[in-house]
Amino acid sequence: MTALALIHARFQITEIFRIPIAVVGSAFWPAASMLAFVVPFVGDEPVYATYATASMITFAVMNTNLFQYGIGVSEDRAQPWDPYVRTLPAGTAPRFAGRILTGLLMMAVSLIPVALIAALFTEASVTPVAFLLAVAVCAVISIPFILMGLSIGYALPSKAALVVAQILFLPLAFGGGLMTPPGGAPGFVENLAPYLPTGGAVRLMWAAVGDFPFDTGSMLALVAWTTLFGALAIWSYRRDEGRRFG
């Protein structure tokens, strides 16, 4: 199982790195947002720079997984290779595990520029314990966005998946409060954000890197969203299987 998952991951990673712009694109928006909004406006304020960096990391996690799985899965489904691989004796589990490993690598690629910009051009700082906690939180908050991407990827053809992902990512970022420091969003956003998946994710990240209070309500909402996206991903996959193999 592990060896087969690594083979699938190597194949998918090779496919991605054959198109360098795909790698650059996954890291562009979070890094550009850091340079455009965080560095010039709050870069010299340690607390705000730390929270803003946490917001951009959450943005990168959401953006990478939404597009990596939403568009990547839908494009793979359009290839003749996909139904053949599904019929192999190894089953779908190694390929799915390989896809998860590939997505985690691409997420790391998108996070590295954000962390470097924060370290080199801002006063953001965290303790070693907070850093390790933030790494763990990145893994946790990636789950709902992976499941959201899989739901889109298995439910829609590639052109439609691209449009849906593009429509979702900016409203989720703004509505979740990723574009402002804690308490700095317009009133309606502050009221709505804790109950969006992005809002719950960034509040968990803020709590990991600073003194932001743990928000039980937003965590329960995040768990609910994760459960919903998981159910949608399973339904989408089974629906796609039924269409292909009857």
Side-chain angles (χ1 to χ4, degrees):
M1 166 69 177
T2 302
L4 289 174
L6 291 175
I7 290 172
H8 280 288
R10 185 177 65 181
F11 171 77
Q12 292 168 17
I13 291 168
T14 302
E15 287 285 291
I16 292 172
F17 277 82
R18 282 177 177 170
I19 309 174
I21 191 63
V23 181
V24 174
S26 68
F28 174 77
W29 279 112
S33 298
M34 280 288 293
L35 292 172
F37 302 113
V38 177
V39 174
F41 294 109
V42 297
D44 57 351
E45 301 179 22
V47 174
Y48 284 116
T50 301
Y51 281 134
T53 300
S55 296
M56 290 300 102
I57 286 174
T58 306
F59 179 80
V61 171
M62 181 268 293
N63 182 63
T64 303
N65 287 303
L66 186 61
F67 283 90
Q68 173 69 24
Y69 295 101
I71 299 172
V73 169
S74 63
E75 288 181 343
D76 284 350
R77 288 171 50 234
Q79 303 301 319
W81 177 252
D82 183 76
Y84 168 71
V85 172
R86 292 195 191 187
T87 64
L88 296 177
T92 58
R95 189 177 185 218
F96 183 78
R99 188 179 296 283
I100 296 296
L101 292 173
T102 303
L104 292 175
L105 174 65
M106 295 306 298
M107 186 174 73
V109 168
S110 70
L111 292 177
I112 289 171
V114 174
L116 288 176
I117 291 169
L120 297 174
F121 302 112
T122 77
E123 296 298 321
S125 63
V126 292
T127 65
V129 173
F131 176 80
L132 293 176
L133 187 57
V135 172
V137 169
C138 281
V140 171
I141 65 175
S142 70
I143 296 172
F145 301 114
I146 289 173
L147 295 173
M148 184 192 299
L150 290 173
S151 301
I152 294 169
Y154 281 119
L156 300 172
S158 58
K159 291 183 179 179
L162 176 61
V163 172
V164 170
Q166 289 176 329
I167 290 173
L168 285 176
F169 95 96
L170 191 57
L172 282 173
F174 180 76
L178 305 187
M179 301 303 183
T180 56
F188 75 95
V189 173
E190 288 293 325
N191 294 330
L192 176 65
Y195 306 105
L196 292 179
T198 41
V202 77
R203 278 158 177 74
L204 190 58
M205 185 64 73
W206 287 340
V209 302
D211 295 326
F212 190 83
F214 183 82
D215 190 333
T216 303
S218 68
M219 292 306 100
L220 291 175
L222 185 60
V223 170
W225 281 111
T226 303
T227 303
L228 174 62
F229 293 144
L232 286 175
I234 292 171
W235 175 81
S236 299
Y237 178 80
R238 289 178 175 173
R239 176 172 170 264
D240 185 58
E241 285 279 287
R243 286 182 171 182
R244 288 171 178 267
F245 304 109

